[in-house]
Amino acid sequence: MADRYLHLTGTAPGRFLTRRLGLPQPVPLRRWSPATPTLDGPSLHLTAGASALGEALGPVLAATGPVVTTAAERPAAVVVDATGITTAAGLGAVHAALHPVVRSLATGGRIVVLGSPPSPDDHHQAAAQQALEGFVRSLGKEIGRGATAQLLRIPPGAAAGAESTLRFLLSPRSAYVSGQVIELTDTAPDPVADWAAPLSGRTALVTGAARGIGASVASVLARDGAQVICLDVPQAQEDLVRTADRLGARALPLDITADDAAERIAAAAPEGLDVLVHNAGVTRDRRLANMPAERWAQVIDVNLDSVLRTTDALLKAGAVNRGGRIVATASIAGIAGNNGQTNYAASKAGIIGLVRSLAPRAAADHGVTVNAVAPGFIETKMTAAVPLFIREAGRRMNSLSQGGLPVDVAETTAWLAQPASTAVNGQVVRVCGQSLLGA
C-alpha cells in the first residue's frame, strides 16, 4: 500500500509543513537494485584508540568498496574501529572520532562501530564495550536522513569472518536495518566464488513462499544463485506455483504442520538442503480474555511447534548439509509484545529461544548456523488491512519513520544464508527501522 505521508514529505510544501509542525520527515530509502548495487561514495575508516584487529581489518573493509582513512566531504559510510577500548575513559576516543564527521554523513549513509565481545573476566573492558551498545542505539535515533547505525562485535583475530556482514551493512541491502548489535563468532568463513551470486550451487527451501515476505525471500535467494524450493499450504497452491514459475523454482504444496512434513521436505531435496528458511506463519489476534483455545493452539502450532519439529527431524536425518544455514522468522512482537497478540508474540519469542539455544549445538554437531530475522512494520497485505491511525503509528514509530518492505526482510535473510556468514550464529536481527519499542 502506498505511503502517502512519505510522498508528501518529499515535496517542498510537505517538507515545509511537517517541519513547522514538528512531524516526522522520513527520507525515501535507497534499496539494492542492479542500477544501485552499492552506496554512493567511500567509507571513512577511523580508529578509536588502539585496534584489537590490527592490519587484518584493512583488506576486509577494502572488499566492501572504496575506503578512505583521512577525510571525505560526504562519506557514504563511517566505520569506527573501537575494538581496543578497554576502559570508560577510552570511550572518549569514540566521541573524538565521530563528533567531527557525523554531520557530514551522506543522506542514507551508514555508521558501523566495530567492538569486541564483552569479557567475562575483565569488568572494565566489559563495561566499556557494552557502553558502545547504548551509544549506537542512541546514535541511530539521532542521525536521521535515512541513515543507519550498527554495532558489530568481532572477536580478536577474527576479522576475516566479518566480510559478509560488512558487505551487507555497508550496502543498500541493509536499508531498513538500524540500531542492531551483531556479535560474530571466531569461526572461519566458507569461501564465496562469486559475490554477485554467493548462493550459486546451493539449494534453499522457503516456507510460506506463496506470497508476501516468503515470496520476496525466495526471489532474493534465487537472485543470489540458489535453487529454490517454495513451500506453502495446498490452499495457496495457485499463488505458490505462480511464484515458483516466476523464479525458475520448484513448488512444494505442503502443510508444514503435517506429521510427515520433514520427510516430504527431505524427499524434495535428495541432495540435502543448504538453506532452510522458516517463514510460514499465521495470526489469530484476540485479547487473551476473548481468545478460545483453538486460536491459541493454531498460532503456536504453525509459528513455533512446526519449526521445532521439522528442524529437529531434518537435522537428525542429515537433510541439512554441513555448512548449511537455518534462518527463522521471529518478530518485533516477540520482543516488545503487542496488544491482542499474546499467542503470536509467544510463538515469535519462542523462535528467539530456539535460535539462542540451538545455534551453538547445531554448529558443533552439524556444521549448521541458526539465526533469526525479526521484522517490524512491513508493508504487506496484512498491514494494509490495519486501521488507518494504527497503521500510521506503526509506520512512524521507528528511527526511519516509515514502514519496511518485504525485500528488506529478504535481503537480511539472504545475508544470513551466505556461505561466508559462518561467523554469524545465534543472532536475532531486527528488520524494523529501529523500532522505538523493543529495539
Side-chain angles (χ1 to χ4, degrees):
M1 185 174 179
D3 186 343
R4 292 190 174 92
Y5 181 85
L6 177 61
H7 176 72
L8 172 68
T9 57
T11 66
R15 284 192 296 272
F16 173 80
L17 179 63
T18 53
R19 190 179 298 115
R20 289 293 299 269
L21 295 176
L23 296 174
Q25 293 185 294
V27 172
L29 302 182
R30 177 182 176 181
R31 295 176 168 88
W32 183 94
S33 73
T36 58
T38 61
L39 300 176
D40 283 336
S43 297
L44 178 59
H45 176 198
L46 306 173
T47 303
S51 172
L53 300 174
E55 296 181 357
L57 179 62
V60 175
L61 272 179
T64 69
V67 178
V68 295
T69 56
T70 52
E73 186 174 339
R74 296 286 286 173
V78 180
V79 179
V80 179
D81 182 354
T83 55
I85 291 178
T86 59
T87 65
L91 292 167
V94 179
H95 175 272
L98 274 170
H99 175 70
V101 302
V102 68
R103 284 193 180 95
S104 66
L105 183 69
T107 298
R110 307 283 190 266
I111 295 177
V112 178
V113 176
L114 306 180
S116 295
S119 170
D121 304 315
D122 182 347
H123 58 283
H124 288 263
Q125 185 270 359
Q129 287 295 325
Q130 188 65 35
L132 295 176
E133 180 171 338
F135 171 79
V136 166
R137 292 195 192 278
S138 297
L139 184 60
K141 295 176 179 179
E142 290 180 4
I143 48 181
R145 295 180 293 113
T148 65
Q150 328 287 348
L151 173 61
L152 176 60
R153 290 177 174 150
I154 307 174
E163 181 174 348
S164 72
T165 302
L166 286 169
R167 281 178 175 269
F168 172 70
L169 296 177
L170 299 175
S171 80
R173 301 173 194 267
S174 60
Y176 201 61
V177 177
S178 188
Q180 298 306 290
V181 180
I182 299 160
E183 185 163 335
L184 304 182
T185 70
D186 58 4
T187 310
D190 293 335
V192 172
D194 180 3
W195 281 101
L199 296 176
S200 180
R202 295 169 79 85
T203 299
L205 181 135
V206 182
T207 70
R211 60 181 75 89
I213 291 174
S216 187
V217 170
S219 179
V220 170
L221 296 181
R223 178 204 69 192
D224 284 358
Q227 293 295 315
V228 180
I229 302 171
C230 298
L231 182 152
D232 216 315
V233 291
Q235 299 93 307
Q237 184 165 350
E238 185 176 340
D239 287 338
L240 180 67
V241 171
R242 186 181 301 113
T243 296
D245 288 348
R246 175 172 58 85
L247 302 177
R250 286 180 282 163
L252 179 59
L254 173 63
D255 186 340
I256 194 65
T257 66
D259 291 339
D260 63 345
E263 289 82 355
R264 292 176 62 184
I265 289 171
E271 301 300 318
L273 292 172
D274 301 294
V275 180
L276 171 61
V277 180
H278 287 293
N279 170 76
V282 297
T283 57
R284 297 292 182 268
D285 296 353
R286 194 168 289 182
R287 290 191 173 188
L288 183 62
N290 302 318
M291 184 183 295
E294 61 269 17
R295 292 177 78 96
W296 174 276
Q298 186 177 13
V299 170
I300 297 296
D301 192 26
V302 174
N303 297 4
L304 178 59
D305 203 19
S306 70
V307 176
L308 289 162
R309 292 195 307 268
T310 54
T311 299
D312 287 350
L314 290 169
L315 286 174
K316 183 178 180 180
V320 182
N321 297 328
R322 292 196 70 84
R325 308 283 180 255
I326 297 174
V327 184
T329 304
S331 170
I332 197 72
I335 297 169
N338 206 8
N339 185 12
Q341 288 193 319
T342 53
N343 51 359
Y344 184 78
S347 71
K348 294 305 184 179
I351 291 293
I352 295 172
L354 177 163
V355 166
R356 290 175 176 166
S357 176
L358 179 59
R361 290 183 288 113
D365 297 344
H366 305 282
V368 172
T369 65
V370 185
N371 295 286
V373 293
F377 187 98
I378 304 296
E379 303 280 358
T380 63
K381 287 184 178 179
M382 182 178 72
T383 54
V386 171
L388 173 63
F389 291 109
I390 298 176
R391 184 170 66 244
E392 282 302 304
R395 282 172 170 159
R396 309 306 159 208
M397 290 182 65
N398 60 73
S399 296
L400 299 174
S401 299
Q402 59 195 283
L405 300 179
V407 71
D408 297 318
V409 182
E411 294 285 13
T412 308
T413 302
W415 152 57
L416 296 171
Q418 290 179 3
S421 295
T422 313
V424 188
N425 193 31
Q427 302 300 292
V428 178
V429 182
R430 304 169 197 176
V431 188
C432 62
Q434 196 182 15
S435 171
L436 303 185
L437 299 176

